[in-house]
Amino acid sequence: MSMDDKENALIFDTHAHYDDEAFDKDRESVIASLPAGGIGTAVDVASTAASIPIVVRIAEEHEHLLAAVGVHPSECAEMSQKDMDLIEEMLKHPKVKAIGEIGLDYHWPEPERSIQKKWFSRQLDLALKTDMPVIIHSRDAAEDTYLCLREFCRKRKDAGLSGSPGVIHCYSYSPEQAREYVKMGFYIGIGGALTFKNSKKLRTVAQETPLANIVLETDCPYMAPVPHRGERNSSLFLPFVAEELSVIKGMTDSPTNCKESRENTYA
């Protein structure tokens, strides 16, 4: 195997949270161990306004990390124009490759849906303005998320923007809706939940979605795959997801998260 082949064999983790306090005691050693563990690159994704400069700093300090900046719907109640200005400024950093994670989360009653929609729309507008892909969080909000993203993609088309609009992170909806998102150009983010016993719907999504439209992710420190379910997750566990996906797809070798997909999304 050539050096180029070895590089291409490394897995790309499109969604991690190495800024999380779960990594406070050993963050440096975990991140340093990723290449030897088969992980070529990971994207450290912000979730709060306070985490935005932190994920950028962590990405700056590690050659194999990238960053995404945005505010999670569950954290948007106190958002202001100042936060939007911060996101826009950080998008100029060469390590920042997406706006995220952003979206809608109706699992809990707060923040109010109108507030979530406001800041989701504002961050999507910024993605249009800057031609950046988005990382979408959506829980118990299938219809509203779809309607927002359909309009977002219409505006992208009208503006003459090309390339993928982004990733539907930790996909949890129907196979039918996944097909619609793929038609819109989105990638379907699949992580540790694929290995869970109750993941029948997600397994169907994985089976029906073309491999070129799937990206792997951990959402670490959350959602550790079997056989590490319940433990702190890290990118080092992503090969278990890749192996499960390879079984579902009937492949003889574990997938390496489609080089074409990761280059198009985070170029």
Side-chain angles (χ1 to χ4, degrees), residues 18 23 26-35 64 232-236:
Y18 286 111
F23 293 104
D26 60 353
R27 180 175 294 107
E28 293 303 314
S29 61
V30 171
I31 294 175
S33 71
L34 298 185
H64 50 291
R232 182 190 71 176
N233 198 8
S234 82
S235 304
L236 296 172

PDB file of all heavy atoms in Angstrom, residues 18 23 26-35 64 232-236:
ATOM      1  N   TYR A  18     -14.879  17.998  20.555  1.00  0.00           N
ATOM      2  CA  TYR A  18     -13.702  17.881  21.414  1.00  0.00           C
ATOM      3  C   TYR A  18     -13.547  19.062  22.372  1.00  0.00           C
ATOM      4  O   TYR A  18     -12.703  19.015  23.279  1.00  0.00           O
ATOM      5  CB  TYR A  18     -12.439  17.682  20.566  1.00  0.00           C
ATOM      6  CG  TYR A  18     -12.382  16.287  20.015  1.00  0.00           C
ATOM      7  CD1 TYR A  18     -12.530  16.039  18.655  1.00  0.00           C
ATOM      8  CD2 TYR A  18     -12.230  15.201  20.868  1.00  0.00           C
ATOM      9  CE1 TYR A  18     -12.517  14.748  18.158  1.00  0.00           C
ATOM     10  CE2 TYR A  18     -12.226  13.899  20.385  1.00  0.00           C
ATOM     11  CZ  TYR A  18     -12.366  13.687  19.027  1.00  0.00           C
ATOM     12  OH  TYR A  18     -12.368  12.399  18.546  1.00  0.00           O
ATOM     13  N   PHE A  23     -13.784  15.882  27.690  1.00  0.00           N
ATOM     14  CA  PHE A  23     -12.410  15.690  27.241  1.00  0.00           C
ATOM     15  C   PHE A  23     -11.414  16.573  28.001  1.00  0.00           C
ATOM     16  O   PHE A  23     -10.235  16.633  27.620  1.00  0.00           O
ATOM     17  CB  PHE A  23     -12.297  15.978  25.742  1.00  0.00           C
ATOM     18  CG  PHE A  23     -13.021  14.984  24.877  1.00  0.00           C
ATOM     19  CD1 PHE A  23     -14.233  15.312  24.288  1.00  0.00           C
ATOM     20  CD2 PHE A  23     -12.506  13.709  24.665  1.00  0.00           C
ATOM     21  CE1 PHE A  23     -14.908  14.407  23.491  1.00  0.00           C
ATOM     22  CE2 PHE A  23     -13.175  12.788  23.878  1.00  0.00           C
ATOM     23  CZ  PHE A  23     -14.391  13.137  23.289  1.00  0.00           C
ATOM     24  N   ASP A  26      -8.099  14.714  29.195  1.00  0.00           N
ATOM     25  CA  ASP A  26      -7.178  14.032  28.274  1.00  0.00           C
ATOM     26  C   ASP A  26      -7.372  14.465  26.823  1.00  0.00           C
ATOM     27  O   ASP A  26      -7.055  13.720  25.899  1.00  0.00           O
ATOM     28  CB  ASP A  26      -7.332  12.512  28.388  1.00  0.00           C
ATOM     29  CG  ASP A  26      -8.746  12.022  28.064  1.00  0.00           C
ATOM     30  OD1 ASP A  26      -9.639  12.863  27.879  1.00  0.00           O
ATOM     31  OD2 ASP A  26      -8.945  10.787  28.012  1.00  0.00           O
ATOM     32  N   ARG A  27      -7.855  15.664  26.620  1.00  0.00           N
ATOM     33  CA  ARG A  27      -8.162  16.147  25.256  1.00  0.00           C
ATOM     34  C   ARG A  27      -6.960  16.006  24.321  1.00  0.00           C
ATOM     35  O   ARG A  27      -7.080  15.486  23.202  1.00  0.00           O
ATOM     36  CB  ARG A  27      -8.617  17.610  25.318  1.00  0.00           C
ATOM     37  CG  ARG A  27      -8.965  18.217  23.964  1.00  0.00           C
ATOM     38  CD  ARG A  27      -9.525  19.620  24.118  1.00  0.00           C
ATOM     39  NE  ARG A  27     -10.810  19.618  24.791  1.00  0.00           N
ATOM     40  CZ  ARG A  27     -11.021  20.030  26.037  1.00  0.00           C
ATOM     41  NH1 ARG A  27     -10.012  20.492  26.767  1.00  0.00           N
ATOM     42  NH2 ARG A  27     -12.229  19.979  26.571  1.00  0.00           N
ATOM     43  N   GLU A  28      -5.805  16.469  24.758  1.00  0.00           N
ATOM     44  CA  GLU A  28      -4.624  16.468  23.894  1.00  0.00           C
ATOM     45  C   GLU A  28      -4.220  15.057  23.494  1.00  0.00           C
ATOM     46  O   GLU A  28      -3.901  14.796  22.335  1.00  0.00           O
ATOM     47  CB  GLU A  28      -3.469  17.190  24.579  1.00  0.00           C
ATOM     48  CG  GLU A  28      -3.695  18.674  24.777  1.00  0.00           C
ATOM     49  CD  GLU A  28      -3.968  19.397  23.475  1.00  0.00           C
ATOM     50  OE1 GLU A  28      -3.228  19.144  22.498  1.00  0.00           O
ATOM     51  OE2 GLU A  28      -4.911  20.191  23.423  1.00  0.00           O
ATOM     52  N   SER A  29      -4.243  14.144  24.448  1.00  0.00           N
ATOM     53  CA  SER A  29      -3.809  12.779  24.130  1.00  0.00           C
ATOM     54  C   SER A  29      -4.806  12.081  23.215  1.00  0.00           C
ATOM     55  O   SER A  29      -4.413  11.322  22.316  1.00  0.00           O
ATOM     56  CB  SER A  29      -3.600  11.973  25.419  1.00  0.00           C
ATOM     57  OG  SER A  29      -4.802  11.866  26.161  1.00  0.00           O
ATOM     58  N   VAL A  30      -6.102  12.327  23.427  1.00  0.00           N
ATOM     59  CA  VAL A  30      -7.099  11.708  22.554  1.00  0.00           C
ATOM     60  C   VAL A  30      -6.950  12.222  21.125  1.00  0.00           C
ATOM     61  O   VAL A  30      -6.897  11.444  20.166  1.00  0.00           O
ATOM     62  CB  VAL A  30      -8.526  11.978  23.068  1.00  0.00           C
ATOM     63  CG1 VAL A  30      -9.563  11.521  22.042  1.00  0.00           C
ATOM     64  CG2 VAL A  30      -8.766  11.267  24.385  1.00  0.00           C
ATOM     65  N   ILE A  31      -6.873  13.538  20.966  1.00  0.00           N
ATOM     66  CA  ILE A  31      -6.755  14.114  19.621  1.00  0.00           C
ATOM     67  C   ILE A  31      -5.465  13.658  18.947  1.00  0.00           C
ATOM     68  O   ILE A  31      -5.458  13.324  17.754  1.00  0.00           O
ATOM     69  CB  ILE A  31      -6.830  15.643  19.691  1.00  0.00           C
ATOM     70  CG1 ILE A  31      -8.227  16.081  20.166  1.00  0.00           C
ATOM     71  CG2 ILE A  31      -6.517  16.269  18.335  1.00  0.00           C
ATOM     72  CD1 ILE A  31      -8.365  17.568  20.395  1.00  0.00           C
ATOM     73  N   ALA A  32      -4.382  13.611  19.709  1.00  0.00           N
ATOM     74  CA  ALA A  32      -3.100  13.193  19.135  1.00  0.00           C
ATOM     75  C   ALA A  32      -3.136  11.745  18.661  1.00  0.00           C
ATOM     76  O   ALA A  32      -2.413  11.365  17.744  1.00  0.00           O
ATOM     77  CB  ALA A  32      -1.983  13.377  20.163  1.00  0.00           C
ATOM     78  N   SER A  33      -3.990  10.922  19.278  1.00  0.00           N
ATOM     79  CA  SER A  33      -4.037   9.493  18.954  1.00  0.00           C
ATOM     80  C   SER A  33      -4.883   9.178  17.730  1.00  0.00           C
ATOM     81  O   SER A  33      -4.880   8.041  17.252  1.00  0.00           O
ATOM     82  CB  SER A  33      -4.588   8.711  20.151  1.00  0.00           C
ATOM     83  OG  SER A  33      -5.977   8.957  20.335  1.00  0.00           O
ATOM     84  N   LEU A  34      -5.594  10.145  17.193  1.00  0.00           N
ATOM     85  CA  LEU A  34      -6.550   9.852  16.125  1.00  0.00           C
ATOM     86  C   LEU A  34      -5.907   9.278  14.861  1.00  0.00           C
ATOM     87  O   LEU A  34      -6.398   8.262  14.343  1.00  0.00           O
ATOM     88  CB  LEU A  34      -7.369  11.103  15.783  1.00  0.00           C
ATOM     89  CG  LEU A  34      -8.242  11.672  16.911  1.00  0.00           C
ATOM     90  CD1 LEU A  34      -9.085  12.832  16.385  1.00  0.00           C
ATOM     91  CD2 LEU A  34      -9.121  10.609  17.537  1.00  0.00           C
ATOM     92  N   PRO A  35      -4.832   9.871  14.312  1.00  0.00           N
ATOM     93  CA  PRO A  35      -4.267   9.290  13.084  1.00  0.00           C
ATOM     94  C   PRO A  35      -3.843   7.829  13.238  1.00  0.00           C
ATOM     95  O   PRO A  35      -4.106   7.005  12.340  1.00  0.00           O
ATOM     96  CB  PRO A  35      -3.078  10.211  12.782  1.00  0.00           C
ATOM     97  CG  PRO A  35      -3.460  11.523  13.400  1.00  0.00           C
ATOM     98  CD  PRO A  35      -4.168  11.147  14.666  1.00  0.00           C
ATOM     99  N   HIS A  64      -4.905  17.884  12.111  1.00  0.00           N
ATOM    100  CA  HIS A  64      -5.919  16.996  11.568  1.00  0.00           C
ATOM    101  C   HIS A  64      -7.336  17.335  12.047  1.00  0.00           C
ATOM    102  O   HIS A  64      -8.247  16.520  11.882  1.00  0.00           O
ATOM    103  CB  HIS A  64      -5.593  15.533  11.895  1.00  0.00           C
ATOM    104  CG  HIS A  64      -5.277  15.254  13.333  1.00  0.00           C
ATOM    105  ND1 HIS A  64      -4.141  15.700  13.941  1.00  0.00           N
ATOM    106  CD2 HIS A  64      -5.959  14.568  14.270  1.00  0.00           C
ATOM    107  CE1 HIS A  64      -4.123  15.303  15.201  1.00  0.00           C
ATOM    108  NE2 HIS A  64      -5.218  14.621  15.430  1.00  0.00           N
ATOM    109  N   ARG A 232     -17.853   7.109  27.088  1.00  0.00           N
ATOM    110  CA  ARG A 232     -17.547   8.353  26.383  1.00  0.00           C
ATOM    111  C   ARG A 232     -17.113   8.004  24.963  1.00  0.00           C
ATOM    112  O   ARG A 232     -16.222   7.197  24.752  1.00  0.00           O
ATOM    113  CB  ARG A 232     -16.417   9.100  27.098  1.00  0.00           C
ATOM    114  CG  ARG A 232     -16.087  10.438  26.435  1.00  0.00           C
ATOM    115  CD  ARG A 232     -14.822  11.049  26.977  1.00  0.00           C
ATOM    116  NE  ARG A 232     -13.625  10.321  26.561  1.00  0.00           N
ATOM    117  CZ  ARG A 232     -12.383  10.692  26.841  1.00  0.00           C
ATOM    118  NH1 ARG A 232     -12.168  11.772  27.572  1.00  0.00           N
ATOM    119  NH2 ARG A 232     -11.344   9.970  26.419  1.00  0.00           N
ATOM    120  N   ASN A 233     -17.731   8.625  24.014  1.00  0.00           N
ATOM    121  CA  ASN A 233     -17.417   8.354  22.619  1.00  0.00           C
ATOM    122  C   ASN A 233     -16.227   9.202  22.168  1.00  0.00           C
ATOM    123  O   ASN A 233     -15.943  10.258  22.737  1.00  0.00           O
ATOM    124  CB  ASN A 233     -18.632   8.683  21.753  1.00  0.00           C
ATOM    125  CG  ASN A 233     -18.579   8.041  20.377  1.00  0.00           C
ATOM    126  OD1 ASN A 233     -17.712   7.226  20.091  1.00  0.00           O
ATOM    127  ND2 ASN A 233     -19.522   8.421  19.523  1.00  0.00           N
ATOM    128  N   SER A 234     -15.533   8.746  21.142  1.00  0.00           N
ATOM    129  CA  SER A 234     -14.505   9.534  20.469  1.00  0.00           C
ATOM    130  C   SER A 234     -14.405   9.051  19.034  1.00  0.00           C
ATOM    131  O   SER A 234     -14.979   8.008  18.671  1.00  0.00           O
ATOM    132  CB  SER A 234     -13.141   9.405  21.169  1.00  0.00           C
ATOM    133  OG  SER A 234     -12.478   8.219  20.771  1.00  0.00           O
ATOM    134  N   SER A 235     -13.678   9.781  18.226  1.00  0.00           N
ATOM    135  CA  SER A 235     -13.508   9.384  16.829  1.00  0.00           C
ATOM    136  C   SER A 235     -12.873   8.007  16.700  1.00  0.00           C
ATOM    137  O   SER A 235     -13.036   7.344  15.666  1.00  0.00           O
ATOM    138  CB  SER A 235     -12.651  10.415  16.091  1.00  0.00           C
ATOM    139  OG  SER A 235     -13.198  11.709  16.188  1.00  0.00           O
ATOM    140  N   LEU A 236     -12.171   7.570  17.722  1.00  0.00           N
ATOM    141  CA  LEU A 236     -11.511   6.258  17.682  1.00  0.00           C
ATOM    142  C   LEU A 236     -12.513   5.117  17.591  1.00  0.00           C
ATOM    143  O   LEU A 236     -12.147   4.004  17.189  1.00  0.00           O
ATOM    144  CB  LEU A 236     -10.626   6.086  18.916  1.00  0.00           C
ATOM    145  CG  LEU A 236      -9.451   7.056  19.019  1.00  0.00           C
ATOM    146  CD1 LEU A 236      -8.775   6.924  20.379  1.00  0.00           C
ATOM    147  CD2 LEU A 236      -8.451   6.818  17.900  1.00  0.00           C
TER     148      LEU A 236
END
